[in-house]
Short mmCIF file of all heavy atoms in Angstrom, two decimals:
data_model
loop_
_atom_site.label_atom_id
_atom_site.label_comp_id
_atom_site.label_asym_id
_atom_site.label_seq_id
_atom_site.Cartn_x
_atom_site.Cartn_y
_atom_site.Cartn_z
N MET A 1 -9.85 200.88 151.24
CA MET A 1 -10.20 202.30 151.33
C MET A 1 -10.92 202.70 150.06
O MET A 1 -10.40 202.52 148.97
CB MET A 1 -8.92 203.11 151.52
CG MET A 1 -9.12 204.60 151.58
SD MET A 1 -9.98 205.22 153.00
CE MET A 1 -8.72 205.44 154.19
N ARG A 2 -12.13 203.23 150.20
CA ARG A 2 -12.90 203.69 149.05
C ARG A 2 -12.60 205.16 148.78
O ARG A 2 -12.25 205.90 149.69
CB ARG A 2 -14.41 203.55 149.33
CG ARG A 2 -14.84 202.14 149.54
CD ARG A 2 -16.31 202.06 149.83
NE ARG A 2 -16.61 202.79 151.06
CZ ARG A 2 -17.84 202.98 151.52
NH1 ARG A 2 -18.85 202.51 150.87
NH2 ARG A 2 -18.04 203.63 152.64
N LYS A 3 -12.75 205.56 147.53
CA LYS A 3 -12.61 206.97 147.16
C LYS A 3 -13.88 207.40 146.46
O LYS A 3 -14.50 206.62 145.74
CB LYS A 3 -11.42 207.17 146.22
CG LYS A 3 -10.09 207.02 146.90
CD LYS A 3 -8.98 207.46 145.98
CE LYS A 3 -7.66 207.36 146.72
NZ LYS A 3 -6.57 207.92 145.95
N ILE A 4 -14.27 208.64 146.70
CA ILE A 4 -15.46 209.20 146.08
C ILE A 4 -15.16 210.65 145.71
O ILE A 4 -14.52 211.37 146.48
CB ILE A 4 -16.68 209.08 147.03
CG1 ILE A 4 -17.95 209.50 146.33
CG2 ILE A 4 -16.48 209.82 148.32
CD1 ILE A 4 -19.20 209.14 147.11
N ASP A 5 -15.55 211.06 144.53
CA ASP A 5 -15.32 212.43 144.06
C ASP A 5 -16.59 213.23 144.27
O ASP A 5 -17.64 212.88 143.74
CB ASP A 5 -14.93 212.40 142.57
CG ASP A 5 -14.60 213.78 142.05
OD1 ASP A 5 -14.10 214.61 142.83
OD2 ASP A 5 -14.84 214.02 140.86
N LEU A 6 -16.50 214.29 145.06
CA LEU A 6 -17.66 215.11 145.38
C LEU A 6 -17.40 216.56 144.96
O LEU A 6 -16.29 217.06 145.08
CB LEU A 6 -17.93 215.06 146.88
CG LEU A 6 -18.23 213.68 147.45
CD1 LEU A 6 -18.22 213.72 148.97
CD2 LEU A 6 -19.57 213.18 146.95
N LYS A 7 -18.46 217.21 144.50
CA LYS A 7 -18.37 218.62 144.12
C LYS A 7 -18.88 219.48 145.27
O LYS A 7 -19.79 219.08 146.00
CB LYS A 7 -19.20 218.88 142.87
CG LYS A 7 -18.65 218.19 141.63
CD LYS A 7 -19.58 218.39 140.45
CE LYS A 7 -19.07 217.70 139.22
NZ LYS A 7 -18.97 216.26 139.33
N SER A 8 -18.30 220.66 145.40
CA SER A 8 -18.74 221.58 146.45
C SER A 8 -18.71 223.01 145.94
O SER A 8 -18.08 223.31 144.93
CB SER A 8 -17.84 221.44 147.68
OG SER A 8 -16.51 221.79 147.36
N VAL A 9 -19.41 223.86 146.66
CA VAL A 9 -19.40 225.29 146.36
C VAL A 9 -18.95 226.02 147.62
O VAL A 9 -19.16 225.54 148.73
CB VAL A 9 -20.78 225.82 145.91
CG1 VAL A 9 -21.15 225.27 144.55
CG2 VAL A 9 -21.85 225.51 146.92
N VAL A 10 -18.33 227.18 147.42
CA VAL A 10 -17.86 228.00 148.54
C VAL A 10 -18.28 229.43 148.26
O VAL A 10 -18.14 229.92 147.13
CB VAL A 10 -16.32 227.93 148.69
CG1 VAL A 10 -15.85 228.80 149.84
CG2 VAL A 10 -15.85 226.50 148.85
N TRP A 11 -18.81 230.09 149.27
CA TRP A 11 -19.15 231.51 149.13
C TRP A 11 -18.89 232.21 150.45
O TRP A 11 -18.82 231.58 151.50
CB TRP A 11 -20.60 231.70 148.67
CG TRP A 11 -21.63 231.28 149.68
CD1 TRP A 11 -22.24 232.09 150.61
CD2 TRP A 11 -22.19 229.98 149.86
NE1 TRP A 11 -23.13 231.35 151.35
CE2 TRP A 11 -23.12 230.06 150.91
CE3 TRP A 11 -22.00 228.75 149.24
CZ2 TRP A 11 -23.86 228.96 151.36
CZ3 TRP A 11 -22.72 227.65 149.69
CH2 TRP A 11 -23.64 227.77 150.72
N LYS A 12 -18.75 233.53 150.38
CA LYS A 12 -18.49 234.32 151.58
C LYS A 12 -19.81 234.85 152.12
O LYS A 12 -20.64 235.36 151.38
CB LYS A 12 -17.54 235.47 151.28
CG LYS A 12 -17.08 236.16 152.54
CD LYS A 12 -15.83 236.96 152.34
CE LYS A 12 -15.36 237.46 153.69
NZ LYS A 12 -14.20 238.28 153.60
N GLU A 13 -19.97 234.71 153.42
CA GLU A 13 -21.16 235.19 154.10
C GLU A 13 -20.70 235.90 155.36
O GLU A 13 -20.26 235.27 156.32
CB GLU A 13 -22.06 234.00 154.44
CG GLU A 13 -23.49 234.37 154.75
CD GLU A 13 -24.38 233.15 154.84
OE1 GLU A 13 -24.60 232.50 153.81
OE2 GLU A 13 -24.84 232.87 155.96
N GLY A 14 -20.73 237.23 155.33
CA GLY A 14 -20.21 238.00 156.47
C GLY A 14 -18.71 237.82 156.56
O GLY A 14 -17.98 238.03 155.60
N ASN A 15 -18.23 237.40 157.75
CA ASN A 15 -16.79 237.21 157.96
C ASN A 15 -16.33 235.79 157.68
O ASN A 15 -15.16 235.48 157.88
CB ASN A 15 -16.43 237.57 159.41
CG ASN A 15 -16.62 239.05 159.69
OD1 ASN A 15 -16.43 239.88 158.80
ND2 ASN A 15 -16.99 239.38 160.90
N TYR A 16 -17.23 234.92 157.26
CA TYR A 16 -16.89 233.51 157.07
C TYR A 16 -17.15 233.04 155.65
O TYR A 16 -17.98 233.60 154.94
CB TYR A 16 -17.69 232.63 158.05
CG TYR A 16 -17.29 232.85 159.47
CD1 TYR A 16 -17.97 233.74 160.28
CD2 TYR A 16 -16.20 232.17 160.02
CE1 TYR A 16 -17.60 233.95 161.59
CE2 TYR A 16 -15.82 232.36 161.32
CZ TYR A 16 -16.52 233.26 162.11
OH TYR A 16 -16.13 233.47 163.41
N TYR A 17 -16.46 231.98 155.27
CA TYR A 17 -16.71 231.29 154.02
C TYR A 17 -17.52 230.04 154.33
O TYR A 17 -17.22 229.32 155.28
CB TYR A 17 -15.39 230.88 153.34
CG TYR A 17 -14.66 232.05 152.74
CD1 TYR A 17 -13.76 232.79 153.49
CD2 TYR A 17 -14.88 232.44 151.42
CE1 TYR A 17 -13.10 233.87 152.94
CE2 TYR A 17 -14.22 233.51 150.86
CZ TYR A 17 -13.34 234.23 151.63
OH TYR A 17 -12.68 235.31 151.08
N ILE A 18 -18.55 229.81 153.55
CA ILE A 18 -19.41 228.65 153.69
C ILE A 18 -19.05 227.67 152.58
O ILE A 18 -18.92 228.06 151.43
CB ILE A 18 -20.91 229.02 153.57
CG1 ILE A 18 -21.25 230.21 154.47
CG2 ILE A 18 -21.79 227.82 153.85
CD1 ILE A 18 -21.00 230.00 155.93
N SER A 19 -18.90 226.41 152.92
CA SER A 19 -18.64 225.36 151.93
C SER A 19 -19.76 224.34 152.02
O SER A 19 -20.16 223.95 153.11
CB SER A 19 -17.28 224.70 152.17
OG SER A 19 -17.19 224.22 153.49
N GLN A 20 -20.28 223.96 150.87
CA GLN A 20 -21.40 223.02 150.84
C GLN A 20 -21.17 221.99 149.75
O GLN A 20 -20.81 222.32 148.63
CB GLN A 20 -22.71 223.76 150.58
CG GLN A 20 -23.91 222.85 150.59
CD GLN A 20 -25.21 223.62 150.49
OE1 GLN A 20 -25.21 224.84 150.34
NE2 GLN A 20 -26.30 222.92 150.57
N CYS A 21 -21.38 220.73 150.11
CA CYS A 21 -21.28 219.64 149.15
C CYS A 21 -22.57 219.61 148.34
O CYS A 21 -23.66 219.76 148.88
CB CYS A 21 -21.08 218.32 149.89
SG CYS A 21 -20.93 216.92 148.78
N LEU A 22 -22.44 219.40 147.04
CA LEU A 22 -23.62 219.38 146.17
C LEU A 22 -24.30 218.02 146.10
O LEU A 22 -25.48 217.92 145.84
CB LEU A 22 -23.23 219.83 144.76
CG LEU A 22 -22.71 221.27 144.65
CD1 LEU A 22 -22.26 221.55 143.23
CD2 LEU A 22 -23.77 222.26 145.09
N GLU A 23 -23.55 216.94 146.33
CA GLU A 23 -24.12 215.60 146.19
C GLU A 23 -24.78 215.09 147.46
O GLU A 23 -25.69 214.26 147.39
CB GLU A 23 -23.05 214.60 145.75
CG GLU A 23 -22.67 214.73 144.29
CD GLU A 23 -21.45 215.60 144.08
OE1 GLU A 23 -20.94 216.21 145.03
OE2 GLU A 23 -21.01 215.68 142.93
N VAL A 24 -24.31 215.50 148.63
CA VAL A 24 -24.93 215.10 149.90
C VAL A 24 -25.17 216.37 150.71
O VAL A 24 -24.51 217.38 150.52
CB VAL A 24 -24.06 214.10 150.69
CG1 VAL A 24 -23.94 212.78 149.97
CG2 VAL A 24 -22.69 214.65 151.01
N ASP A 25 -26.11 216.31 151.61
CA ASP A 25 -26.50 217.49 152.39
C ASP A 25 -25.55 217.69 153.57
O ASP A 25 -25.89 217.43 154.72
CB ASP A 25 -27.94 217.34 152.86
CG ASP A 25 -28.49 218.62 153.44
OD1 ASP A 25 -27.96 219.70 153.11
OD2 ASP A 25 -29.48 218.56 154.20
N VAL A 26 -24.33 218.16 153.26
CA VAL A 26 -23.31 218.42 154.27
C VAL A 26 -22.67 219.76 153.95
O VAL A 26 -22.36 220.04 152.79
CB VAL A 26 -22.23 217.30 154.29
CG1 VAL A 26 -21.13 217.63 155.28
CG2 VAL A 26 -22.86 215.95 154.61
N SER A 27 -22.48 220.58 154.98
CA SER A 27 -21.83 221.87 154.77
C SER A 27 -20.98 222.20 155.99
O SER A 27 -21.10 221.58 157.04
CB SER A 27 -22.87 222.97 154.51
OG SER A 27 -23.73 223.10 155.62
N SER A 28 -20.13 223.22 155.84
CA SER A 28 -19.28 223.67 156.93
C SER A 28 -18.88 225.12 156.66
O SER A 28 -19.37 225.73 155.71
CB SER A 28 -18.06 222.77 157.09
OG SER A 28 -17.45 223.01 158.34
N PHE A 29 -17.97 225.65 157.49
CA PHE A 29 -17.54 227.03 157.29
C PHE A 29 -16.14 227.22 157.87
O PHE A 29 -15.64 226.38 158.61
CB PHE A 29 -18.52 228.01 157.94
CG PHE A 29 -18.51 227.96 159.45
CD1 PHE A 29 -17.79 228.87 160.18
CD2 PHE A 29 -19.24 226.99 160.13
CE1 PHE A 29 -17.77 228.83 161.57
CE2 PHE A 29 -19.24 226.93 161.50
CZ PHE A 29 -18.50 227.86 162.23
N GLY A 30 -15.53 228.35 157.51
CA GLY A 30 -14.21 228.70 158.04
C GLY A 30 -13.91 230.15 157.76
O GLY A 30 -14.65 230.82 157.04
N LYS A 31 -12.83 230.64 158.33
CA LYS A 31 -12.45 232.04 158.15
C LYS A 31 -11.82 232.30 156.78
O LYS A 31 -11.75 233.45 156.35
CB LYS A 31 -11.50 232.48 159.26
CG LYS A 31 -12.20 232.57 160.60
CD LYS A 31 -11.28 233.10 161.67
CE LYS A 31 -12.04 233.20 162.98
NZ LYS A 31 -11.25 233.79 164.05
N THR A 32 -11.34 231.23 156.13
CA THR A 32 -10.78 231.34 154.78
C THR A 32 -11.44 230.27 153.90
O THR A 32 -12.06 229.34 154.42
CB THR A 32 -9.25 231.11 154.78
OG1 THR A 32 -8.99 229.75 155.18
CG2 THR A 32 -8.53 232.08 155.70
N ARG A 33 -11.28 230.41 152.58
CA ARG A 33 -11.83 229.38 151.69
C ARG A 33 -11.19 228.03 151.97
O ARG A 33 -11.87 227.01 152.02
CB ARG A 33 -11.58 229.77 150.22
CG ARG A 33 -12.50 230.87 149.75
CD ARG A 33 -12.25 231.28 148.33
NE ARG A 33 -11.98 230.14 147.47
CZ ARG A 33 -11.54 230.21 146.23
NH1 ARG A 33 -11.30 231.39 145.71
NH2 ARG A 33 -11.32 229.14 145.51
N LYS A 34 -9.88 228.02 152.18
CA LYS A 34 -9.17 226.76 152.45
C LYS A 34 -9.69 226.13 153.74
O LYS A 34 -9.94 224.93 153.80
CB LYS A 34 -7.67 226.99 152.53
CG LYS A 34 -6.90 225.70 152.77
CD LYS A 34 -5.42 225.94 152.87
CE LYS A 34 -4.60 224.69 153.10
NZ LYS A 34 -5.17 223.58 153.76
N GLU A 35 -9.84 226.94 154.78
CA GLU A 35 -10.34 226.40 156.05
C GLU A 35 -11.75 225.86 155.89
O GLU A 35 -12.09 224.80 156.43
CB GLU A 35 -10.30 227.48 157.14
CG GLU A 35 -10.74 226.95 158.50
CD GLU A 35 -10.71 228.01 159.59
OE1 GLU A 35 -10.53 229.21 159.29
OE2 GLU A 35 -10.88 227.63 160.75
N ALA A 36 -12.59 226.56 155.14
CA ALA A 36 -13.96 226.10 154.91
C ALA A 36 -13.96 224.76 154.18
O ALA A 36 -14.72 223.84 154.53
CB ALA A 36 -14.75 227.13 154.12
N LEU A 37 -13.10 224.61 153.18
CA LEU A 37 -13.01 223.34 152.44
C LEU A 37 -12.41 222.23 153.31
O LEU A 37 -12.84 221.08 153.24
CB LEU A 37 -12.22 223.52 151.16
CG LEU A 37 -12.96 224.30 150.07
CD1 LEU A 37 -12.02 224.67 148.93
CD2 LEU A 37 -14.14 223.51 149.55
N ASP A 38 -11.41 222.57 154.12
CA ASP A 38 -10.83 221.57 155.03
C ASP A 38 -11.88 221.09 156.03
O ASP A 38 -11.97 219.89 156.32
CB ASP A 38 -9.63 222.15 155.78
CG ASP A 38 -8.41 222.35 154.90
OD1 ASP A 38 -8.37 221.79 153.77
OD2 ASP A 38 -7.49 223.07 155.33
N MET A 39 -12.67 222.00 156.56
CA MET A 39 -13.72 221.64 157.51
C MET A 39 -14.81 220.82 156.83
O MET A 39 -15.38 219.90 157.43
CB MET A 39 -14.30 222.89 158.17
CG MET A 39 -13.29 223.68 158.99
SD MET A 39 -12.56 222.72 160.33
CE MET A 39 -13.96 222.58 161.42
N LEU A 40 -15.12 221.14 155.57
CA LEU A 40 -16.09 220.35 154.82
C LEU A 40 -15.58 218.93 154.61
O LEU A 40 -16.33 217.97 154.77
CB LEU A 40 -16.39 221.01 153.47
CG LEU A 40 -17.37 220.24 152.57
CD1 LEU A 40 -18.74 220.13 153.23
CD2 LEU A 40 -17.48 220.92 151.21
N GLN A 41 -14.30 218.80 154.28
CA GLN A 41 -13.72 217.47 154.10
C GLN A 41 -13.86 216.65 155.38
O GLN A 41 -14.26 215.49 155.35
CB GLN A 41 -12.23 217.60 153.72
CG GLN A 41 -11.53 216.26 153.75
CD GLN A 41 -10.78 215.95 152.49
OE1 GLN A 41 -10.64 216.80 151.63
NE2 GLN A 41 -10.32 214.74 152.39
N GLU A 42 -13.58 217.27 156.52
CA GLU A 42 -13.71 216.57 157.80
C GLU A 42 -15.16 216.16 158.06
O GLU A 42 -15.44 215.04 158.48
CB GLU A 42 -13.19 217.46 158.93
CG GLU A 42 -13.21 216.79 160.28
CD GLU A 42 -12.63 217.67 161.37
OE1 GLU A 42 -11.76 218.51 161.08
OE2 GLU A 42 -13.06 217.50 162.53
N ALA A 43 -16.09 217.08 157.78
CA ALA A 43 -17.51 216.78 157.97
C ALA A 43 -17.97 215.64 157.06
O ALA A 43 -18.74 214.77 157.47
CB ALA A 43 -18.35 218.04 157.73
N LEU A 44 -17.48 215.63 155.82
CA LEU A 44 -17.84 214.56 154.89
C LEU A 44 -17.26 213.22 155.32
O LEU A 44 -17.92 212.19 155.21
CB LEU A 44 -17.37 214.91 153.48
CG LEU A 44 -18.20 215.99 152.78
CD1 LEU A 44 -17.46 216.53 151.56
CD2 LEU A 44 -19.56 215.45 152.40
N GLU A 45 -16.03 213.23 155.84
CA GLU A 45 -15.44 211.99 156.34
C GLU A 45 -16.28 211.42 157.48
O GLU A 45 -16.52 210.22 157.54
CB GLU A 45 -14.00 212.24 156.79
CG GLU A 45 -13.05 212.47 155.64
CD GLU A 45 -11.67 212.96 156.06
OE1 GLU A 45 -11.44 213.18 157.28
OE2 GLU A 45 -10.81 213.13 155.17
N LEU A 46 -16.75 212.28 158.37
CA LEU A 46 -17.60 211.83 159.48
C LEU A 46 -18.95 211.33 158.95
O LEU A 46 -19.48 210.34 159.43
CB LEU A 46 -17.81 212.97 160.48
CG LEU A 46 -16.58 213.35 161.28
CD1 LEU A 46 -16.84 214.63 162.07
CD2 LEU A 46 -16.15 212.22 162.20
N TYR A 47 -19.49 212.02 157.96
CA TYR A 47 -20.77 211.62 157.36
C TYR A 47 -20.67 210.21 156.77
O TYR A 47 -21.51 209.35 157.03
CB TYR A 47 -21.19 212.62 156.29
CG TYR A 47 -22.41 212.22 155.51
CD1 TYR A 47 -23.68 212.47 156.00
CD2 TYR A 47 -22.29 211.59 154.27
CE1 TYR A 47 -24.81 212.11 155.29
CE2 TYR A 47 -23.41 211.23 153.55
CZ TYR A 47 -24.67 211.49 154.06
OH TYR A 47 -25.78 211.12 153.34
N PHE A 48 -19.64 209.98 155.97
CA PHE A 48 -19.51 208.69 155.30
C PHE A 48 -19.01 207.59 156.24
O PHE A 48 -19.13 206.41 155.93
CB PHE A 48 -18.61 208.81 154.07
CG PHE A 48 -19.32 209.44 152.91
CD1 PHE A 48 -18.95 210.68 152.44
CD2 PHE A 48 -20.37 208.79 152.29
CE1 PHE A 48 -19.62 211.27 151.36
CE2 PHE A 48 -21.05 209.36 151.21
CZ PHE A 48 -20.66 210.60 150.76
N GLU A 49 -18.47 207.97 157.39
CA GLU A 49 -18.06 206.98 158.39
C GLU A 49 -19.27 206.17 158.88
O GLU A 49 -19.16 204.99 159.15
CB GLU A 49 -17.40 207.70 159.56
CG GLU A 49 -16.76 206.83 160.59
CD GLU A 49 -16.05 207.68 161.62
OE1 GLU A 49 -14.88 208.06 161.38
OE2 GLU A 49 -16.66 207.97 162.66
N ASP A 50 -20.43 206.82 158.97
CA ASP A 50 -21.64 206.17 159.46
C ASP A 50 -22.56 205.70 158.34
O ASP A 50 -23.62 205.16 158.59
CB ASP A 50 -22.42 207.13 160.36
CG ASP A 50 -21.67 207.43 161.65
OD1 ASP A 50 -20.85 206.58 162.06
OD2 ASP A 50 -21.88 208.50 162.23
N THR A 51 -22.18 205.92 157.09
CA THR A 51 -23.00 205.52 155.96
C THR A 51 -22.36 204.31 155.29
O THR A 51 -21.28 204.43 154.72
CB THR A 51 -23.11 206.68 154.94
OG1 THR A 51 -23.63 207.83 155.61
CG2 THR A 51 -24.03 206.32 153.79
N PRO A 52 -23.01 203.15 155.35
CA PRO A 52 -22.39 201.95 154.79
C PRO A 52 -22.17 202.05 153.27
O PRO A 52 -21.12 201.68 152.78
CB PRO A 52 -23.37 200.83 155.11
CG PRO A 52 -24.62 201.49 155.55
CD PRO A 52 -24.30 202.89 155.93
N LEU A 53 -23.12 202.55 152.55
CA LEU A 53 -22.98 202.77 151.11
C LEU A 53 -23.20 204.24 150.83
O LEU A 53 -24.16 204.82 151.32
CB LEU A 53 -24.01 201.94 150.32
CG LEU A 53 -23.86 200.43 150.42
CD1 LEU A 53 -25.03 199.74 149.76
CD2 LEU A 53 -22.55 199.98 149.79
N PRO A 54 -22.32 204.87 150.06
CA PRO A 54 -22.50 206.29 149.79
C PRO A 54 -23.84 206.59 149.14
O PRO A 54 -24.18 206.02 148.11
CB PRO A 54 -21.35 206.63 148.84
CG PRO A 54 -20.37 205.54 149.02
CD PRO A 54 -21.15 204.32 149.42
N LYS A 55 -24.61 207.44 149.79
CA LYS A 55 -25.87 207.90 149.22
C LYS A 55 -25.63 209.31 148.71
O LYS A 55 -25.51 210.24 149.50
CB LYS A 55 -26.97 207.89 150.27
CG LYS A 55 -27.31 206.51 150.76
CD LYS A 55 -28.38 206.56 151.82
CE LYS A 55 -28.67 205.17 152.33
NZ LYS A 55 -29.67 205.16 153.39
N LYS A 56 -25.50 209.44 147.42
CA LYS A 56 -25.23 210.75 146.86
C LYS A 56 -25.99 210.93 145.57
O LYS A 56 -26.29 209.98 144.86
CB LYS A 56 -23.74 210.98 146.63
CG LYS A 56 -23.14 210.16 145.53
CD LYS A 56 -21.74 210.61 145.22
CE LYS A 56 -21.35 210.12 143.84
NZ LYS A 56 -20.54 211.02 143.11
N SER A 57 -26.30 212.17 145.28
CA SER A 57 -26.91 212.53 144.01
C SER A 57 -25.78 212.83 143.04
O SER A 57 -24.71 213.28 143.45
CB SER A 57 -27.77 213.78 144.16
OG SER A 57 -28.75 213.57 145.13
N THR A 58 -26.00 212.60 141.78
CA THR A 58 -25.00 212.94 140.78
C THR A 58 -25.26 214.34 140.28
O THR A 58 -26.35 214.65 139.81
CB THR A 58 -25.05 211.94 139.61
OG1 THR A 58 -24.82 210.63 140.14
CG2 THR A 58 -23.99 212.26 138.58
N VAL A 59 -24.27 215.21 140.42
CA VAL A 59 -24.38 216.59 139.95
C VAL A 59 -23.38 216.76 138.83
O VAL A 59 -22.19 216.59 139.03
CB VAL A 59 -24.10 217.59 141.08
CG1 VAL A 59 -24.14 219.00 140.55
CG2 VAL A 59 -25.09 217.41 142.21
N THR A 60 -23.87 217.08 137.64
CA THR A 60 -23.01 217.27 136.48
C THR A 60 -23.13 218.71 136.01
O THR A 60 -24.23 219.19 135.79
CB THR A 60 -23.43 216.32 135.35
OG1 THR A 60 -23.47 214.99 135.87
CG2 THR A 60 -22.45 216.36 134.20
N ASN A 61 -22.03 219.39 135.87
CA ASN A 61 -21.98 220.77 135.39
C ASN A 61 -22.98 221.68 136.11
O ASN A 61 -23.90 222.21 135.49
CB ASN A 61 -22.23 220.82 133.88
CG ASN A 61 -21.21 220.01 133.11
OD1 ASN A 61 -20.04 220.00 133.46
ND2 ASN A 61 -21.65 219.32 132.09
N PRO A 62 -22.80 221.90 137.42
CA PRO A 62 -23.75 222.75 138.14
C PRO A 62 -23.70 224.19 137.63
O PRO A 62 -22.65 224.68 137.22
CB PRO A 62 -23.27 222.66 139.59
CG PRO A 62 -21.84 222.28 139.48
CD PRO A 62 -21.71 221.45 138.25
N ILE A 63 -24.83 224.83 137.63
CA ILE A 63 -24.96 226.23 137.22
C ILE A 63 -25.56 227.00 138.38
O ILE A 63 -26.57 226.59 138.95
CB ILE A 63 -25.86 226.35 135.97
CG1 ILE A 63 -25.24 225.58 134.80
CG2 ILE A 63 -26.11 227.81 135.62
CD1 ILE A 63 -26.15 225.46 133.61
N VAL A 64 -24.94 228.11 138.72
CA VAL A 64 -25.47 228.96 139.78
C VAL A 64 -26.54 229.85 139.17
O VAL A 64 -26.30 230.52 138.17
CB VAL A 64 -24.36 229.81 140.43
CG1 VAL A 64 -24.95 230.77 141.45
CG2 VAL A 64 -23.31 228.91 141.05
N SER A 65 -27.72 229.83 139.75
CA SER A 65 -28.80 230.68 139.26
C SER A 65 -29.61 231.17 140.43
O SER A 65 -29.50 230.66 141.55
CB SER A 65 -29.69 229.91 138.27
OG SER A 65 -30.25 228.79 138.90
N SER A 66 -30.42 232.17 140.20
CA SER A 66 -31.25 232.72 141.27
C SER A 66 -32.71 232.42 141.00
O SER A 66 -33.12 232.22 139.85
CB SER A 66 -31.04 234.22 141.39
OG SER A 66 -31.44 234.86 140.21
N VAL A 67 -33.47 232.39 142.06
CA VAL A 67 -34.90 232.15 141.98
C VAL A 67 -35.60 233.27 142.74
O VAL A 67 -35.23 233.58 143.87
CB VAL A 67 -35.27 230.78 142.64
CG1 VAL A 67 -36.76 230.58 142.65
CG2 VAL A 67 -34.57 229.65 141.92
N LYS A 68 -36.57 233.91 142.12
CA LYS A 68 -37.31 234.98 142.77
C LYS A 68 -38.53 234.37 143.43
O LYS A 68 -39.25 233.57 142.83
CB LYS A 68 -37.74 236.05 141.77
CG LYS A 68 -36.56 236.81 141.23
CD LYS A 68 -36.98 237.93 140.34
CE LYS A 68 -35.73 238.62 139.83
NZ LYS A 68 -36.02 239.80 139.04
N LEU A 69 -38.74 234.72 144.67
CA LEU A 69 -39.80 234.12 145.47
C LEU A 69 -40.53 235.22 146.21
O LEU A 69 -39.92 236.11 146.78
CB LEU A 69 -39.21 233.11 146.44
CG LEU A 69 -40.13 232.47 147.45
CD1 LEU A 69 -41.08 231.52 146.71
CD2 LEU A 69 -39.34 231.72 148.49
N GLN A 70 -41.86 235.16 146.20
CA GLN A 70 -42.68 236.06 147.01
C GLN A 70 -43.30 235.23 148.11
O GLN A 70 -43.78 234.12 147.86
CB GLN A 70 -43.77 236.73 146.18
CG GLN A 70 -43.24 237.73 145.18
CD GLN A 70 -44.38 238.41 144.46
OE1 GLN A 70 -45.43 237.85 144.24
NE2 GLN A 70 -44.16 239.67 144.07
N TYR A 71 -43.26 235.74 149.30
CA TYR A 71 -43.86 235.01 150.41
C TYR A 71 -44.46 236.00 151.40
O TYR A 71 -44.10 237.16 151.42
CB TYR A 71 -42.84 234.09 151.08
CG TYR A 71 -41.67 234.81 151.71
CD1 TYR A 71 -41.67 235.13 153.06
CD2 TYR A 71 -40.57 235.16 150.93
CE1 TYR A 71 -40.59 235.79 153.62
CE2 TYR A 71 -39.49 235.81 151.49
CZ TYR A 71 -39.51 236.12 152.85
OH TYR A 71 -38.45 236.77 153.40
N ALA A 72 -45.37 235.51 152.19
CA ALA A 72 -46.08 236.37 153.16
C ALA A 72 -45.35 236.42 154.46
O ALA A 72 -44.65 235.55 154.85
CB ALA A 72 -47.48 235.83 153.37
#
């Protein structure tokens, strides 16, 4: 059994909490933060079930910042 340490972020959007993994492009949601993280864990387990070698980016000390964008 392999173990991998992954970082995630959680935020509230409307009535739900969104959880997103920072190292791989996997996210989920739930009615509570705990449920969102539990659902993310399940989604990540399914993701890595089909991935022979973990393909992940290394994220060290993430900082939340905003980007201003103008578009047509």
Side-chain angles (χ1 to χ4, degrees):
M1 178 68 87
R2 297 179 298 175
K3 288 190 177 187
I4 187 169
D5 183 31
L6 300 169
K7 293 175 181 63
S8 62
V9 292
V10 180
W11 68 93
K12 189 161 187 182
E13 198 170 293
N15 294 328
Y16 293 94
Y17 287 88
I18 310 301
S19 55
Q20 182 173 4
C21 181
L22 297 175
E23 286 95 354
V24 294
D25 191 22
V26 176
S27 61
S28 195
F29 69 98
K31 290 184 178 183
T32 65
R33 285 178 41 190
K34 182 181 180 333
E35 183 180 10
L37 287 169
D38 289 345
M39 297 301 289
L40 178 62
Q41 170 128 9
E42 183 177 332
L44 286 165
E45 288 170 357
L46 291 171
Y47 174 83
F48 283 112
E49 188 175 275
D50 293 334
T51 304
L53 295 173
K55 295 179 182 178
K56 70 170 199 144
S57 303
T58 301
V59 176
T60 307
N61 301 322
I63 298 171
V64 175
S65 60
S66 63
V67 176
K68 292 185 180 185
L69 175 70
Q70 291 184 329
Y71 63 96

